[in-house]
Amino acid sequence: MQASTDRAELRASGAHLPATELLRCRGLVKSFAAVRALRGVDFAIAAGRVRGLVGENGAGKSTLVKIIAGVYAPDAGTFELEGAPMHFSGADDALARRIVTVHQDINLVQTMTVAENLLLNNEPTYGFGIIRRRAMAEKVSQLLRLYEIDVEPDAVVSELPNDLKKMVQIVKGVSLDPKILILDEPTSSLTESEVQVALRLIRRLAESGVGVVLISHYLNEIFAVCDDLTVMRDGEVVADGPVAETNLAQVVTAMVGRHVETHRRAEATPSRAKESSPLMRVEDLSIPGRLDAISFELGHGEVLGVTGLAGSGLGELAKAIFGADASGRLGGRVILDGKTVPPRDPAASLKAGLALITGDRRREGLLLDFTLKENICLPILSRFTGAAGRLDGSAMTEATTRNITRLHIRAPGPEALASQLSGGNQQKVLFAKWLETRPKVFVMEDPTIGIDVGAKAEIRAIIDEIAAAGVGIVLITTELEELVTLCDRVLVMFRGQLVTELTGAAIRRESILHAAACGEELAVPA
Ligand code: ADP
Ligand code: MG
């Protein structure tokens, strides 16, 4: 197995260090309003060791890390730092004790240069005056060379791609000379070679005695560099111990726990999908460095799930199918109902019968200051326009009211502003808008993200209903629940490639998670 070779290499010299405990937390509890993010968590960090922290989205990993970093105060629980009881009074206090955290979000000062960011809060003897610039630049160049980051010290952070921003953020953390270094999903936005640099850096730090915590969904990375592993689920620690004493299958099982699921569509559709020629064929969609020759077919009335980790190319794929790609380097083609859709032309895609709901409904989907009527009828204005170019307002009202009823949109009426609605109801308006274009294929990215449980269930029912009417659905999502209960087939992406296809009863949380985290299929039979 790939992971064990890497691991032998990466861990070769650090295996026999004595484990001195740096930090221990006991019984950490933290709630946000009704959400119990941590329900009594014990966690320890030892000098010279790397502890992996894994768990599904929402398990509580970032909350735990933010408490250790002094960002949040826990509701209950105790800390010991090198054996002595202690209280954190905030993030600066944690930093002063050399507990450094590289948070999940990029928190660099975007308007400053790489050099300024790297030295911020770090080099009190240097000002930002002209005289010191040269000395600063030299120190920074040295850091960047040491960590193999190909970026100019004078580059403004806002202009860097995300992977380089992340690398700068990591180096900034390391340059603070930590005793404990916590990395919250550092690798999701990195390229393959940057991942290798980061993993080597982590091992090197551990060998010099730093206690490292690594949060990652990439289980192969966890197995490659970690000495110990903590698995969290629903705010609790469900497994904890040396990496050498566990394996991938055990870890995945601990992550997902027990779930009772029904595959409502599992039997009905494969035959439906096969009965006729495919509704849509996607051939070799590529964006250099982001999407690698993605090909698949979609049947009439089929719900095809596509999933993967953050950074695996899901967002790019959604836009690429619709011909909406900002890079200008999109290759491949989409064939809908036997006809090639003109490439790189969203308007032509729409005309050919494609609809797209992106993951960012606030920015790209709805006009919040406009009425429901305007939002729903805007893409299809021609249908309501008479010979003299006059809009038929009553037909628009009628179409809007029909959608309000059909999708159970809770709103005062067609003239209500989109901004007045809850997130779930806004999402339904977005569905209405696209359904009115009468699409043949509906591509949706994270259609239920950020909305409450009740609205989630309603939107899933709507998706099921649309498919039952013969529309092909590409459901791009990271929600396991949605993939397992709603999809006829699931494709898994890994760093820009399609790596696995699961059908019917083989669509299980474990299999999906494993393929997404490792880029390969789960070898263990069902
Ligand atoms: P993970 O990092 O494992 O994905 P988090 O620690 O971010 O999980 O979240 C754990 C739970 O706490 C989730 O249900 C999340 O929605 C909730 N949560 C986290 N931070 C906040 C916050 N600032 N306000 C409200 N809820 C939060
Ligand atoms: Mg997190």
Side-chain angles (χ1 to χ4, degrees), residues 358-368 418-419 421-424 426-427 430 450-451:
T358 65
D360 189 352
R361 66 173 168 273
R362 291 191 180 281
R363 224 182 47 211
E364 299 178 39
L366 281 189
L367 302 166
L368 291 177
S419 59
L421 272 55
S422 72
Q426 287 179 357
Q427 187 70 334
L430 206 49
I451 60 183

Side-chain angles (χ1 to χ4, degrees), residues 32-33 35-38 55-64 66 72 104 184-185 215 217:
F32 300 99
V35 179
R36 294 177 68 203
L38 300 182
E56 278 191 51
N57 289 330
K61 306 179 296 293
S62 293
T63 303
L64 170 59
K66 283 180 182 159
Y72 295 149
Q104 192 166 359
D184 192 351
E185 295 195 34
I215 299 182
H217 287 294

Side-chain angles (χ1 to χ4, degrees), residues 44 57 66 79 85 122-123 129 202 216 243 251 255 270 287 297 388 390 398 434-435 452 472 497 505 510 520 522:
N57 289 330
K66 283 180 182 159
F79 292 97
N122 192 16
E123 204 65 50
I202 288 170
S216 176
V243 166
V251 171
M255 282 169 74
I287 302 170
E297 294 186 346
R390 291 250 318 258
E398 193 203 292
W434 287 110
L435 283 175
D452 67 76
Q497 293 185 319
E510 287 87 345
E520 58 194 35
L522 187 61

Side-chain angles (χ1 to χ4, degrees), residues 230-273:
T230 300
V231 183
M232 288 185 68
R233 188 172 73 233
D234 295 335
E236 287 175 323
V237 171
V238 291
D240 188 328
V243 166
E245 288 170 19
T246 186
N247 60 44
L248 258 173
Q250 276 178 2
V251 171
V252 170
T253 303
M255 282 169 74
V256 299
R258 268 177 182 284
H259 289 276
V260 184
E261 275 146 353
T262 43
H263 306 267
R264 354 194 340 271
R265 300 172 53 87
E267 279 148 44
T269 318
S271 54
R272 208 192 327 170

Side-chain angles (χ1 to χ4, degrees), residues 109-184:
V109 183
Q110 298 281 340
T111 52
M112 287 188 172
T113 65
V114 169
E116 287 164 343
N117 267 284
L118 284 176
L119 296 173
L120 194 64
N121 303 331
N122 192 16
E123 204 65 50
T125 53
Y126 291 137
F128 291 127
I130 293 163
I131 303 159
R132 287 297 184 191
R133 281 200 176 272
R134 164 165 277 187
M136 256 173 66
E138 255 158 41
K139 168 148 175 125
V140 167
S141 302
Q142 213 180 335
L143 273 173
L144 295 174
R145 256 198 322 276
L146 180 62
Y147 298 115
E148 306 167 49
I149 304 174
D150 189 14
V151 61
E152 291 298 321
D154 293 337
V156 175
V157 164
S158 63
E159 282 161 19
L160 298 179
N162 276 339
D163 58 320
L164 288 179
K165 284 183 192 167
K166 199 68 199 181
M167 288 302 280
V168 170
Q169 198 187 349
I170 294 171
V171 168
K172 176 162 176 62
V174 174
S175 70
L176 292 169
D177 189 24
K179 194 178 270 181
I180 291 175
L181 179 67
I182 305 176
L183 301 143
D184 192 351

Side-chain angles (χ1 to χ4, degrees), residues 76-91:
T78 59
F79 292 97
E80 275 170 29
L81 192 62
E82 292 175 277
M86 61 154 276
H87 295 278
F88 285 120
S89 59

